[in-house]
Amino acid sequence: MRRDNRAQIKPPAARSPSRNGLLVVLLLALGTAVLATHWPALSTQALSFDDTEYLTENRLVQNPSWTSARRFLSEVLEPSTTGGAYQPLSMISLMLDYAAGGRPDNLRAFHRTSLVLHVLNTALVALLLYLLFGNPWIAVAAALLFGLHPLTVGRITWVTDRKTVLAAFFSLWCLVHYLCYVRHGIRVHYAVALLLYVLAMMSKPTSLPLPVLFLLLDYWPLRRLSKRTALLTMPFFVVGGIGLIISFVSFHHTLQVVMPGHHGMPRILFIVCHNIVFYLCKVVWPVHLSTHCPFPEPFSLEHPAVLTGVIGTCVLVSIVLASWRRTRAPLIGWAVFFVAVFPTLGVIGFTPVIAANRFVYFPIVGILIILAAFLEWVCVRWGGGRRRARDVIVAAIILLVAGTEAVLSRQYAARWNDTVSLCEYMLKLTPEEEAVHNHLGVALRARGKTEEGIEHFRLAIEYDPESPRAHYNLGNALKDKRMLDEAITQFREALQRDPRHVLAHNNLGVALAMKGELDEAIRQYLQAVDLEPEHVPALINLGRAYVLKGDNEKAIAYWDRAVRLNPRDKRTRMQLLTLRRRLLEKHD
C-alpha cells in the first residue's frame, strides 16, 4: 500500500459533469434505501427518557406561537423548560411538529421530521466524502452503511433526540460548505459555513468542536494546513468560545454538572477508555442497543468492561500510531471521531449514564473517513489485474453488510412500538437499573395498570433509595389508589432528597387537599409556584383550593394567570368564566 498522504485530492476539474450526474442518481437511490429501511419507525409510539421534559410536560412546545419561539430563543443562559444547554432550534422544531398534529399519543409528526433529517444527513455524509475523495461510488457506499446502521434508529424514534439529527444536519452542511470554500475560494461558502456553525450550536452544543475538524481535514486529506489556513478558522474558534461559555453557564444553572476533578484523573481515564471501546463495539457489532447505558459496577479494573476498555484503547492507539508511516487515514479518522465525541465522552459529567448511542451519530463520520480511504485504496490505487472482479467482491460485501444493518434496524425499531415494550426490552439488558424500572412504572400507570406500576416503583427505590423521582412516582401511584397517607410520605421523601422538586410540591398539595388539609395544601402549591412561577398545574390547584375556602378573588387571580400561560386549557377557562359570572351576579 502506497503512502496515501503524498497523493493530492483530485482538483475540481477532474470531477466531470457526468461524474456529478452519477452522484445525483446514486444519492437518490441512497435516500430511497434509507427511507425504505426506516419507514416502520414512523409508526412507533414509545416515549423514552426526557420525553416528558421535551414534549409531554413542556408547555411551550404544546403551545405553538411566536411567544413560545421567542422564549426558546431568548432564554440563553438559563432555559426554563428543559434542563441542560441552550438549544432553541431543536425546541422550535418540536413545537412546529406539535403544530402539525404531533401529540404525546401520536408521535408520527415528530418521527417524520427526524426521518427526513436523517435521510438528508445520509446524503450530506455522501457529499462530504465525495468532496474529500472524489469517487461517487465510494462516497455513497460508505454513506449507505451510515444511513442503515441500527445506531441511527433511536435518532428517529426518540422524540428528545431531535437535537442530535438537527445538529448533525447543520454540522454536515457546515463541513460541506467549508470544503466548497477550500475548493473554489468563494467567500460566500465561508460565510455560510460560519452561519451553519452557529445554527448547529443552537441545535445542540456538542457541535462545538467543528473548527478542530476543519484543521484535521486541512492536514489530511486536503494537505493544506498552514499558519494562514489556521488563521482562517479563527472566527469559528471565537464563535465556538462564546458558545462554550453559554453552554457551560446554562448547564450549571439547570443541571448538576460533575467537573473532572470531582472523581480524580484515574476515573476520567477509565470512562474515556471504556467509552472509546464501547462505541467502537456498537458501531461494528450493533446488538443489545439501549437508550440507557449505566455505569459498570464496580467501576474499576475489576469489572471486565472497564478492563476491556483500557486494554482495547491501548491496542487501538498502538495500531493507529503504527499505521502512521503508511497512511494518515486511521490517525485522522480516529482524531475526527475522538474530537467530535469528546464533549459527551464523560470528562465533564452531565448525565447519570456512562455512554449513550446518540452521542456517536455525528462522530461516526470519522470512522467513515477511514472506510472511504480504505475503499479508495482497494478499488482505485491497489495495483494488479482483475480490477472488475475485485470491485464486484467489494460491492457484494458492502451490500451484504448494508442488508444485515437493515434487518437489525427493523428489529430494533420494533422495540419502540410502545413504551412498555421498550422498557421491558431495556430491563432484559439492565435488570437492576432504577431509571428503567421507574420509566416502566410510569408507562404502566398511564395504561391504568397502577398495581404493576407500584411494583416497579418499589423496585426502583430498592435499587436506588435516594432517587427523588422514584419516590415521587410511587407517591402518584399511591394517590391514584387513594392510599393518601403513604402517598404523602413518599412525596415528602422525594422533597427531602430534592427540595426544589416542583411536581412533588404540587402533588403533595393535591394529596393533602384530598385529605381535607387545605391550608397545608395551599402552602405546597405556593412553594411550587415560588420555585416555578409559570407552573400551570400549581396555579390551577391554587384556584381550586381558594374556591373551596371561599376566597374567590384569589381563585380568579390564579386561574387568570394559568389561562394566560396556557390558552388551550378550555376547562380552566370555563371555570374562570363561571366564577367571574357568579361574582358579577352576587354583586348585582
Side-chain angles (χ1 to χ4, degrees), residues 461-529:
I461 292 173
E462 180 181 335
Y463 293 131
D464 185 4
E466 298 303 313
S467 170
R469 63 184 170 188
H471 287 286
Y472 164 74
N473 285 323
L474 178 56
N476 280 335
L478 293 169
K479 177 171 63 67
D480 292 345
K481 302 292 289 183
R482 297 281 175 169
M483 302 167 66
L484 297 180
D485 290 332
E486 192 175 351
I488 289 170
T489 300
Q490 292 301 323
F491 287 135
R492 294 194 187 280
E493 290 284 348
L495 289 171
Q496 184 178 348
R497 289 156 178 78
D498 181 8
R500 298 184 62 82
H501 199 306
V502 175
L503 294 175
H505 278 294
N506 178 66
N507 286 18
L508 173 57
V510 173
L512 291 166
M514 291 171 69
K515 286 192 66 177
E517 301 177 18
L518 284 180
D519 291 332
E520 179 60 25
I522 288 173
R523 278 194 287 272
Q524 295 299 325
Y525 296 147
L526 288 173
Q527 287 188 55
V529 173

Side-chain angles (χ1 to χ4, degrees), residues 81-275:
T81 61
T82 58
Y86 181 60
Q87 47 191 336
L89 297 187
S90 297
M91 302 309 299
I92 290 173
S93 72
L94 292 177
M95 182 188 73
L96 293 176
D97 284 339
Y98 195 93
R103 294 295 184 272
D105 59 352
N106 182 12
L107 305 177
R108 191 176 186 86
F110 302 103
H111 297 338
R112 181 174 60 232
T113 302
S114 295
L115 177 56
V116 169
L117 286 169
H118 176 59
V119 172
L120 293 174
N121 288 343
T122 304
L124 287 171
V125 167
L127 183 57
L128 176 67
L129 296 175
Y130 175 66
L131 291 172
L132 287 174
F133 297 100
N135 189 307
W137 289 102
I138 289 174
V140 170
L144 178 66
L145 299 183
F146 165 79
L148 304 186
H149 202 284
L151 282 174
T152 64
V153 172
R155 316 298 69 79
I156 301 166
T157 55
W158 190 1
V159 174
T160 296
D161 231 16
R162 169 64 53 77
K163 55 190 175 183
T164 299
V165 288
L166 188 62
F169 173 74
F170 289 124
S171 297
L172 289 166
W173 258 125
C174 178
L175 287 171
V176 166
H177 274 280
Y178 181 76
L179 291 178
C180 289
Y181 169 73
V182 170
R183 296 295 185 192
H184 307 292
I186 301 175
R187 293 182 179 178
V188 172
H189 285 299
Y190 185 90
V192 172
L194 189 60
L195 173 62
L196 289 167
Y197 180 43
V198 174
L199 296 178
M201 288 191 295
M202 292 175 69
S203 302
K204 190 178 182 182
T206 53
S207 307
L208 283 168
L210 270 176
V212 182
L213 303 190
F214 294 163
L215 297 178
L216 291 172
L217 295 179
D218 278 340
Y219 178 72
W220 187 93
L222 298 178
R223 289 179 51 80
R224 62 186 291 272
L225 183 62
S226 64
K227 289 184 179 180
R228 178 180 174 277
T229 56
L231 287 174
L232 283 174
T233 62
M234 286 306 299
F236 288 89
F237 279 100
V238 171
V239 171
I242 297 172
L244 179 62
I245 294 172
I246 291 173
S247 298
F248 185 81
V249 173
S250 63
F251 266 109
H252 264 284
H253 282 168
T254 58
L255 288 179
Q256 292 183 346
V257 179
V258 180
M259 300 305 293
H262 183 75
H263 292 297
M265 187 55 64
R267 182 179 175 88
I268 294 298
L269 291 175
F270 287 164
I271 291 175
V272 171
C273 291
H274 172 278
N275 285 350

